[in-house]
Amino acid sequence: MRIDLLSPASFASGQPHAQFDWLRTNAPVQWHDEPGGKGFWAVTRHGDVWAVDRDFETYSSEPTIMITDPASEMGFGGHKMMLMMDPPEHTAFRKLIRSEFTEPSARLRQGRIQQLARQIVDAVIDRGECDFVDQIAGEMPSFVIAELMGLPLEDGRELYKLTEIIHTAPEALPPGAGGQAVMKMFEYGSRVIAEKRARPGDDLASRLLACEVDGRKLDDMEFLLFFLLLVDAGGDTTRNLLSGGLLALMENPDQYAWLMADLDARLPSAREELLRWTSPVIYMRRTATRDAVLAGQAIRAGDKVVMYFGSANRDPAVFDRPDVLDLSRPENPQIAFGTGPHGCLGQHIARIEIDAMLHEVLTRMTDFRLAAPVEWLASNFISGPKAMPIRFHRR
């Protein structure tokens, strides 16, 4: 079995489950060469991913959660994105926005999120066709994060387009396109800083600019890195779960029929199974702070250790019939949102977005069929359709 977890070609039609199956069985922690880099350990079993993600003292998020080491010219004046911090620093920064993303806070937004879902479907329902990724799946998280930050909804849509570029593998883009997208995000964020400082509102951006860490307010670069994280991470799971999830339902008509027989009662378990099935975030990297042993392999201080969530979520040691989509799965310890101190902060809002959008789509649209082949995002970091033209009938 040829193993290549770096080439976007391995992810050209979704996650490379044949490679993951071989690795879990034969080399659950395997050294993977990295052209132009020093290589990394690929971790593919559920238990090992769980252990690494929770042991931040041994497996650090610094200097980056990406496989490729950061270029020296991409420094941010000594600042780091929260994703690339460890406790207690990570805990202090996470605390700044945690109250916005608790389950009770997320529930308070449920009515508005349901309104947005209706608005999104209203825009396409009479056409009988749409690009499901761009016009439905991508709209919901773009609108929600825009409202959270106190931005126009239309701006959320434009920012989403930048995140898609940021997640595309560099070799699939014109030279420098990813860096240019980050700079455009920062330029927009700088305008947000000026606007919210001049006219603060009841929104997350204004609150971030007013809050303090260790007795001081965030400087501009700290805010911009927060802004990039919230816009970027706020859309990944929802957008790719919705599009990949609908594709899974189309490919598994028996499961679609089971879900529609009692949608309200069955949607929660279906959502968790679709999260397991799609695993939108492919990997997260950690860096060993000290020598360790993982699944019998000697990990050296400084080694890159990469957790593959899509593989962990198909581990037969944890999931019965892991390669079968079972929306009624009673036990589902999926870790699509990660686990431990770095578990996705926005997962409660993401679940409400997913439920609202799936409910709206499935109760108002039917007879889904592809109007053209699915085009997958050219990325080894985020898994999901980039374009999925569909036709449908109105219920």
Side-chain angles (χ1 to χ4, degrees):
M1 169 66 71
R2 180 174 181 270
I3 303 298
D4 184 356
L5 301 178
L6 288 177
S7 172
S10 293
F11 302 84
S13 57
Q15 303 217 26
H17 288 296
Q19 293 187 46
F20 288 154
D21 290 348
W22 189 93
L23 286 168
R24 282 193 311 271
T25 301
N26 298 283
V29 177
Q30 173 161 296
W31 185 254
H32 194 298
D33 290 331
E34 177 191 5
K38 64 179 184 179
F40 60 92
W41 294 101
V43 182
T44 49
R45 291 192 308 204
H46 189 282
D48 297 327
V49 170
W50 177 276
V52 169
D53 211 9
R54 288 177 168 262
D55 186 2
F56 62 86
E57 293 180 333
T58 304
Y59 303 103
S60 172
S61 295
E62 298 184 19
T64 180
I65 50 85
M66 307 298 293
I67 292 174
T68 304
D69 287 319
S72 58
E73 63 269 19
M74 283 296 288
F76 300 115
H79 295 312
K80 297 172 289 186
M81 188 179 289
M82 187 175 69
L83 274 179
M84 299 168 190
M85 299 175 183
D86 296 314
E89 183 184 25
H90 174 268
T91 307
F93 274 80
R94 188 175 172 112
K95 187 177 180 180
L96 297 179
I97 58 174
R98 185 176 56 199
S99 63
E100 298 285 341
F101 296 99
T102 63
E103 189 168 5
S105 294
R107 289 292 169 198
L108 292 175
R109 298 185 179 276
Q110 187 169 13
R112 176 55 179 155
I113 289 172
Q114 290 169 341
Q115 289 178 359
L116 289 171
R118 284 193 293 274
Q119 177 180 327
I120 291 165
V121 172
D122 283 346
V124 301
I125 192 69
D126 291 329
R127 302 180 198 169
E129 61 181 9
C130 68
D131 183 328
F132 192 82
V133 178
D134 184 50
Q135 295 174 282
I136 293 182
E139 293 282 79
M140 173 58 83
S142 303
F143 288 169
V144 170
I145 198 63
E147 289 208 337
L148 274 170
M149 300 291 282
L151 311 175
L153 296 188
E154 185 62 35
D155 288 8
R157 182 183 290 128
E158 295 305 310
L159 291 170
Y160 147 65
K161 294 176 182 177
L162 294 176
T163 69
E164 190 173 61
I165 296 172
I166 291 169
H167 286 314
T168 299
E171 55 266 42
L173 293 168
Q180 291 170 14
V182 171
M183 294 312 299
K184 287 180 181 178
M185 191 81 77
F186 282 175
E187 289 169 6
Y188 185 94
S190 296
R191 295 196 294 272
V192 173
I193 291 173
E195 170 68 22
K196 300 302 181 182
R197 282 183 176 154
R199 289 172 290 278
D202 183 21
D203 55 68
L204 183 53
S206 298
R207 285 191 283 279
L208 271 174
L209 289 168
C211 70
E212 295 184 352
V213 178
D214 297 331
R216 62 170 184 82
K217 292 186 177 181
L218 299 182
D219 64 26
D220 286 5
M221 182 52 70
E222 286 172 322
F223 174 86
L224 290 174
L225 289 172
F226 246 126
F227 181 77
L228 175 60
L229 172 61
L230 289 166
V231 172
D232 195 13
D236 290 339
T237 302
T238 300
R239 177 170 65 244
N240 294 296
L241 180 282
L242 288 171
S243 50
L246 180 66
L247 182 62
L249 293 176
M250 293 166 65
E251 292 174 341
N252 294 269
D254 61 322
Q255 293 298 294
Y256 173 67
W258 177 87
L259 177 59
M260 294 308 297
D262 192 355
L263 180 61
D264 289 341
R266 295 175 175 180
L267 187 54
S269 72
R271 174 235 302 143
E272 295 304 304
E273 176 69 350
L274 290 172
L275 282 165
R276 182 191 74 85
W277 189 256
T278 59
S279 294
V281 177
I282 296 169
Y283 77 79
M284 284 283 173
R285 165 192 162 181
R286 301 290 184 256
T287 302
T289 61
R290 56 197 180 196
D291 292 352
V293 176
L294 184 64
Q297 295 288 358
I299 311 297
R300 302 300 181 193
D303 283 356
K304 303 178 186 181
V305 179
V306 180
M307 304 171 288
Y308 282 93
F309 297 107
S311 176
N313 280 335
R314 299 284 183 102
D315 189 340
V318 176
F319 302 96
D320 180 45
R321 300 184 306 147
D323 294 322
V324 173
L325 181 71
D326 179 5
L327 301 183
S328 66
R329 190 177 294 275
E331 298 293 331
N332 197 342
Q334 59 81 16
I335 49 175
F337 288 114
T339 183
H342 288 283
C344 176
L345 189 61
Q347 62 181 285
H348 299 303
I349 285 183
R351 283 184 168 95
I352 291 173
E353 292 175 7
I354 291 163
D355 288 359
M357 203 70 255
L358 282 176
H359 191 277
E360 196 71 16
V361 166
L362 296 177
T363 56
R364 297 181 62 189
M365 304 158 72
T366 189
D367 299 329
F368 302 100
R369 57 204 183 280
L370 293 175
V374 176
E375 177 186 355
W376 288 79
L377 186 64
S379 173
N380 62 18
F381 180 58
I382 298 296
S383 178
K386 178 181 180 181
M388 194 170 93
I390 64 168
R391 296 191 178 96
F392 56 87
H393 289 133
R394 184 171 187 159
R395 280 192 183 272

